């Protein structure tokens, strides 16, 4: 493929992506395939001779789509959201084209510097303490020994970090805070109190690739003292040395991580932050929380169901009042129907259904439709099983 063909195919691919996302809700959210389905659909060996681009594209619908779980369908309520936005996809294309490996400042200064600035932008959106914002110097070491979670995966529960923090500090235990999902919500002043106690933490991370419209992967971590990390991962062979590294003015991110290479991910953040603005991002979070509250009200209004955990953000944990068996059967029916997709969790020995507002395009009508399906199947299950 030369540049002329790339121009044409690139535009076609953008159309294909836009068509896919615009019509995604017509597809069954969960695929109807058995393990190994794909092997029989493609040859045993790679082709000897080159094929055409048309041949490849034809196989997207034939081979790939039947086995796709559509995470961006408004009927997807499983796990947690994974972010998806048009600006982030465009930035990802550019990142692919630049294709630099950002292990040091010299390996591509823009890649390193934009990342540093985007981390500061994002840290300030969350009102992180000053110490976490770039520009601090310190020393030390240590390994991660303690992890507090803000927004656990099963039920979005919150550890009491204002209680755990002083103990960790007094005992000199490294305190890391994982807010993979909930972290995005801290850009809204009304949710920022959930992060109180961050003053005690040594490190903190969350995933903009979950709930901040930056496509996978983009997981952001701050440390109070960057020397803690650099001391553990420093890697300085002669062939990676560059003129500025001793100046103390540049960051070489290879020392902050286990791998050497890294992608130019901050472009996605830059595009998304600029094109949505803080207000747009806050509106997005609030809308998802409202949709979760709407679902919670529907559950609460139905005497047959109960809410199993506080609904703080975009996740609702609920169940039929009754046995675990009846709830397991209900979930199986829901997922076999392939119209909506949910996963369970276990809370205090109870089998609980998790309803996470996930897709960017989920609206109130999808929530109501999901609830209609759930109650219809619940009706059937309750007639068949003792509960
Ligand atoms: C989703 C999630 C993770 C995993 O995040 P990845 O970076 O996508 O692997 C870790 N911790 C919590 C609490 C999560 O919700």
């Amino acid at each position: 493929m030369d540049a002329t063909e790339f121009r044409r195919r690139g535009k076609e691919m953008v159309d294909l992506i836009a068509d896919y996302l615009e019509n995604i809700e017509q597809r069954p959210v969960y695929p109807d395939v058995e393990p190994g389905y794909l092997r029989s659909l493609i040859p045993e060996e790679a082709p000897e001779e080159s094929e055409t681009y048309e041949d490849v594209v034809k196989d997207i619908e034939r081979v790939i789509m039947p086995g796709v779980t559509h995470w961006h369908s408004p009927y997807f309520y499983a796990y947690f959201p994974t972010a998806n936005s048009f600006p982030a996809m465009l930035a990802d294309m550019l990142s692919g084209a630049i294709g630099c490996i950002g292990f040091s400042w010299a390996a591509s200064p823009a890649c390193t510097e934009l990342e540093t600035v985007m981390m500061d932008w994002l840290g300030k959106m969350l009102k992180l303490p000053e110490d976490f914002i770039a520009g601090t110097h310190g020393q030390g070491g240590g390994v991660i020994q303690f992890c507090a979670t803000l927004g656990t995966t099963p039920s979005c529960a919150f550890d009491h970090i204002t209680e755990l923090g002083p103990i960790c500090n007094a005992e000199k235990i490294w305190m890391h805070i994982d807010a993979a999902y909930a972290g995005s919500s801290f850009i809204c002043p009304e949710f920022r109190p959930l992060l109180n106690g961050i003053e005690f933490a040594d490190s903190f991370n969350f995933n903009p690739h979950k709930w901040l419209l930056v496509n996978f992967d983009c997981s952001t971590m701050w440390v109070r003292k960057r020397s803690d990390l650099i001391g553990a991962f420093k890697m300085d062979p002669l062939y990676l040395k560059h003129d500025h590294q001793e100046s103390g003015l540049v960051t070489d991110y290879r020392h902050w991580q286990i791998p050497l290479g890294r992608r130019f991910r901050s472009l996605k953040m830059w595009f998304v932050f600029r094109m949505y603005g803080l207000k747009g991002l806050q509106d997005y979070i609030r809308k998802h929380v409202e949709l979760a509250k709407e679902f919670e009200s529907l559950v609460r209004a139905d005497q047959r169901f109960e809410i199993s955990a506080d609904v703080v953000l975009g996740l609702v944990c609920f169940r039929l009042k009754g046995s675990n068996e009846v709830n397991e059967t209900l979930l199986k029916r829901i997922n076999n129907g392939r119209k909506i997709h949910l996963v369970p969790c276990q809370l205090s020995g109870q089998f609980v259904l998790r309803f996470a507002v996930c897709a960017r395009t989920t609206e109130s009508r999808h929530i109501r439709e999901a609830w209609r399906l759930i109650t219809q199947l619940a009706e059937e299950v309750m007639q068949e099983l003792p509960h």
Side-chain angles (χ1 to χ4, degrees):
M1 189 179 293
D2 58 15
T4 309
E5 191 184 356
F6 177 72
R7 281 176 206 282
R8 183 155 62 91
R9 300 307 190 186
K11 283 158 196 152
E12 287 170 14
M13 182 54 81
V14 168
D15 281 338
L16 187 152
I17 292 168
D19 287 344
Y20 168 67
L21 288 172
E22 265 186 346
N23 301 309
I24 195 166
E25 66 179 89
Q26 263 97 62
R27 294 176 187 266
V29 61
Y30 191 75
D32 189 7
V33 292
E34 295 299 320
Y37 91 94
L38 189 141
R39 185 174 283 279
S40 65
L41 297 178
I42 61 173
E44 293 284 338
E45 320 231 336
E48 199 77 39
E49 303 292 335
S50 68
E51 297 181 60
T52 65
Y53 182 74
E54 277 93 348
D55 291 335
V56 180
V57 165
K58 267 206 312 270
D59 280 350
I60 296 173
E61 277 306 324
R62 187 181 70 87
V63 179
I64 304 301
M65 286 300 171
V68 172
T69 301
H70 298 286
W71 280 64
H72 302 289
S73 161
Y75 292 112
F76 183 91
Y77 303 106
Y79 316 105
F80 269 142
T82 183
N84 180 281
S85 73
F86 293 115
M89 281 186 272
L90 291 175
D92 226 358
M93 282 174 74
L94 180 59
S95 171
I98 294 172
C100 63
I101 310 292
F103 49 73
S104 71
W105 179 85
S108 206
C111 177
T112 294
E113 295 205 8
L114 188 64
E115 181 160 336
T116 308
V117 179
M118 286 307 102
M119 292 298 286
D120 280 4
W121 279 17
L122 187 55
K124 289 177 190 171
M125 285 188 212
L126 304 177
K127 308 246 182 307
L128 286 185
E130 288 267 303
D131 280 358
F132 289 97
I133 306 300
T136 57
H137 297 273
Q139 51 188 332
V143 290
I144 293 173
Q145 298 177 22
F146 188 92
C147 178
T149 307
L150 293 179
T152 60
T153 312
S155 65
C156 200
F158 291 80
D159 284 333
H160 294 282
I161 53 173
T162 48
E163 290 170 28
L164 297 170
I167 300 171
C168 291
N169 288 181
E171 301 292 332
K172 298 199 173 3
I173 295 170
W174 183 285
M175 183 159 98
H176 175 72
I177 295 177
D178 173 10
Y181 164 70
S184 297
S185 74
F186 304 156
I187 65 168
C188 300
E190 69 272 32
F191 299 122
R192 176 58 178 74
L194 294 167
L195 185 58
N196 288 350
I198 180 72
E199 323 62 90
F200 300 111
D202 296 287
S203 54
F204 164 71
N205 84 290
F206 86 97
N207 290 345
H209 72 232
K210 274 190 170 149
W211 204 13
L212 211 58
L213 294 163
V214 183
N215 285 46
F216 188 80
D217 54 347
C218 180
S219 183
T220 49
M221 181 167 104
W222 289 262
V223 284
R224 186 175 294 283
K225 285 197 284 173
R226 56 190 180 201
S227 57
D228 288 339
L229 265 191
I230 294 166
F233 296 132
K234 194 155 179 111
M235 205 314 245
D236 251 339
L238 192 57
Y239 54 85
L240 295 179
K241 289 217 189 302
H242 59 85
D243 290 346
H244 296 279
Q245 74 179 40
E246 305 303 338
S247 70
L249 296 175
V250 303
T251 298
D252 288 333
Y253 278 124
R254 72 174 178 281
H255 304 312
W256 293 56
Q257 59 176 14
I258 294 172
L260 178 70
R262 60 210 327 279
R263 301 187 64 228
F264 198 165
R265 293 185 184 82
S266 56
L267 277 175
K268 292 186 286 192
M269 298 166 81
W270 195 44
F271 275 47
V272 169
F273 295 167
R274 294 178 67 185
M275 298 206 55
Y276 280 87
L278 181 55
K279 282 203 183 117
L281 296 170
Q282 290 170 334
D283 287 348
Y284 178 66
I285 298 283
R286 288 175 180 139
K287 180 174 172 188
H288 272 198
V289 176
E290 258 168 48
L291 289 171
K293 296 276 179 205
E294 179 179 352
F295 186 80
E296 180 192 12
S297 320
L298 292 168
V299 177
R300 287 198 189 277
D302 189 322
Q303 291 305 307
R304 297 168 297 178
F305 287 88
E306 61 193 2
I307 293 288
S308 308
D310 288 345
V311 180
V312 182
L313 298 172
L315 175 68
V316 184
C317 291
F318 72 106
R319 67 195 301 281
L320 274 169
K321 292 174 185 162
S323 66
N324 282 347
E325 191 196 356
V326 84
N327 280 286
E328 282 174 46
T329 310
L330 173 60
L331 181 68
K332 214 169 262 164
R333 298 274 171 93
I334 290 172
N335 284 333
N336 285 348
R338 294 198 160 73
K339 179 70 186 173
I340 59 174
H341 189 43
L342 276 68
V343 292
C345 68
Q346 198 175 43
L347 298 178
S348 311
Q350 287 194 319
F351 186 92
V352 169
L353 282 68
R354 289 172 80 267
F355 186 94
V357 178
C358 287
R360 176 170 48 80
T361 52
T362 304
E363 297 289 345
S364 174
R365 67 184 171 89
H366 300 111
I367 301 289
R368 283 179 276 122
E369 172 68 5
W371 181 244
R372 196 187 61 74
L373 279 162
I374 292 167
T375 47
Q376 186 187 325
L377 293 168
E379 192 86 59
E380 286 174 29
V381 171
M382 289 175 81
Q383 275 171 13
E384 291 164 30
L385 287 179
H387 44 277

